[in-house]
Amino acid sequence: MNTTPYSVTRSSQAARIAAILGAVTLVVLIAAPWWAGRADMRLMGELFLYLSLATLWNLMAGYAGLVSVGQQAYVGFGGYMLFALTMFGGLHPLAAIALAGILGALISIPVAVLIFRLRGAYFAIGTWVIAEVFRLGFAQVSALGGGSGSSLPVAIVKSLASKRAMRESLSYWLALGAAVLVISAVYLFLRSRKGLALTAIRDNEMAASSLGIDIWRTKFIVYVVTSAFTAMIGALIFLQKLRISPDAAFSVNDWTAFVIFIVVIGGIGTIEGPIIGTLVFFLLRETLADLGTTYLIVLGVVAIVVMLKAPKGIWGLIRSRFELQIFPLGYRVTKRN
C-alpha cells in the first residue's frame, strides 16, 4: 500500500483543459477554407508562419542562448531554394520545400562552425554579417533574377492545384501544418533528455557543463535543426508570395526584428510566449497599419514598456500570478487527497 502523501506529476488541470481547447481550435482552423474568406485565410496563414519563426528563434535564443539577428539568412535561403529547385530542378514545390530544409541544415553546419567561435554581441553581429553575405551572394545569381528578383512560373504554381481556391486552401493548410509541426517538435524535444540538457544550459551554463553536458554539441544541434526548419518556413513564405528578391528574402526587419519583438513581448524561454506574442503583434499590426511609420514607433514603445514592466514577457507575468502551465515541461510535486 502506497502511504506517500505526495506524488510527482508533469501535467496539471490547466494543461489538460488547454489541450482540449487546443484540439477543438485546431479542428476549427483546419476547416477554415469552408468558413473563412480568402483575405482571412491569407492573414491566418501569415500568422502561422510568423508563429513558426518565433517558436524556432525562441528555442535558439531563449533556451540555447544563441541570440541571432541573422535568421533571415535561412528564410531567404529556403525561399531561393524553392525557386531554384522547382525552376531548374523540375521538383514539385512540396518536394522542394522538404529539400530546402535539408539544404538549410547542410549550409548551417559550416556557418555554425565559424560563428560559434564568437561570443555574446559578437555572435549576434556575426549572424547578421552571414545573412548579408547570403543576400549579396544571391543578388549575383542572374538565373534567379539577380538584384531585381524573380517570379514563380505559372506552370509551377498550377502544379500545386489547378484551381486558385484549392491552391489557396493548400497554402493555408501547409502554413497551419508547419506551425503545429514546429510547436509539437519543440515541445517533445524539450521533454526529452536533450531538452532537459538544453534547459539546464539555459538556467546555468557552468553548472550544466560540470554535470557532463556537452554545451557546444547541444547548441550546435539546436542551431542546425532550427536552421533547417527556418529554411522550410522560408520556402513556404515565398510559395505564398510567388515572387522573391534579395531585399525581400533577406529582410532583417520582416524576418528577424518582428520575430524578436514577438518573442520578447510574449515571453522568451517559454513555449507559450511566442503564441501570445504572435497574437499581440498581429492585433497591433492590423489595428495600426494605416498609421504608416508611426506603427513601428508604437511597436517600439510597446516593446520597451513590456521589457520594463514585465521582463519575462506577458506570459511570464500571467504565469507568476496564476501559476499556469499550458505546456507541461517540468515535474510538479502535488499532495495526495
Side-chain angles (χ1 to χ4, degrees), residues 49-50 52-62 64-80 100-101 104-105 107-109 111-112 115-116 123-135 138 182 219-235 237-238 246-261 263:
L49 293 174
Y50 263 100
S52 303
L53 290 177
T55 301
L56 292 169
W57 191 87
N58 178 54
L59 176 67
M60 195 171 56
L66 299 170
V67 182
S68 168
V69 294
Q71 283 309 94
Q72 69 272 17
Y74 298 103
V75 174
F77 179 83
Y80 268 105
I107 198 69
S108 70
I109 292 174
V111 172
I115 63 172
F116 273 30
F123 175 85
I125 295 170
T127 59
W128 177 76
V129 171
I130 292 293
E132 284 299 296
V133 171
F134 275 46
R135 185 180 69 83
F138 279 103
V182 168
K219 289 187 176 185
F220 176 79
I221 293 171
V222 169
Y223 185 82
V224 171
V225 172
T226 300
S227 301
F229 276 108
T230 302
M232 292 177 68
I233 301 301
I237 288 171
F238 288 95
D247 289 342
F250 299 98
S251 170
V252 64
N253 204 37
D254 289 339
W255 313 126
T256 299
F258 287 158
V259 168
I260 293 175
F261 172 84
V263 175

Side-chain angles (χ1 to χ4, degrees), residues 114-239:
L114 177 64
I115 63 172
F116 273 30
R117 297 173 179 270
L118 306 174
R119 292 288 181 274
Y122 295 102
F123 175 85
I125 295 170
T127 59
W128 177 76
V129 171
I130 292 293
E132 284 299 296
V133 171
F134 275 46
R135 185 180 69 83
L136 294 173
F138 279 103
Q140 304 305 315
V141 183
S142 57
L144 291 169
S148 58
S150 176
S151 298
L152 206 59
V154 176
I156 295 174
V157 176
K158 288 188 175 180
S159 68
L160 280 173
S162 57
K163 295 183 179 178
R164 180 179 176 180
M166 192 59 204
R167 288 197 297 272
E168 291 183 348
S169 298
L170 183 59
S171 294
Y172 167 81
W173 283 326
L174 287 173
L176 174 61
V180 173
L181 173 65
V182 168
I183 293 174
S184 301
V186 169
Y187 172 62
L188 294 174
F189 173 73
L190 291 176
R191 285 175 65 100
S192 68
R193 287 175 60 87
K194 290 288 184 185
L196 185 62
L198 191 62
T199 305
I201 292 172
R202 178 197 62 179
D203 294 340
N204 192 317
E205 192 168 315
M206 186 177 294
S209 179
S210 68
L211 292 173
I213 296 172
D214 191 329
I215 305 292
W216 193 94
R217 188 173 66 179
T218 304
K219 289 187 176 185
F220 176 79
I221 293 171
V222 169
Y223 185 82
V224 171
V225 172
T226 300
S227 301
F229 276 108
T230 302
M232 292 177 68
I233 301 301
L236 276 173
I237 288 171
F238 288 95
L239 180 63

Side-chain angles (χ1 to χ4, degrees), residues 2-7 334-337:
N2 189 355
T3 58
T4 305
Y6 296 97
S7 62
T334 58
K335 191 173 184 179
R336 297 178 189 277
N337 293 326

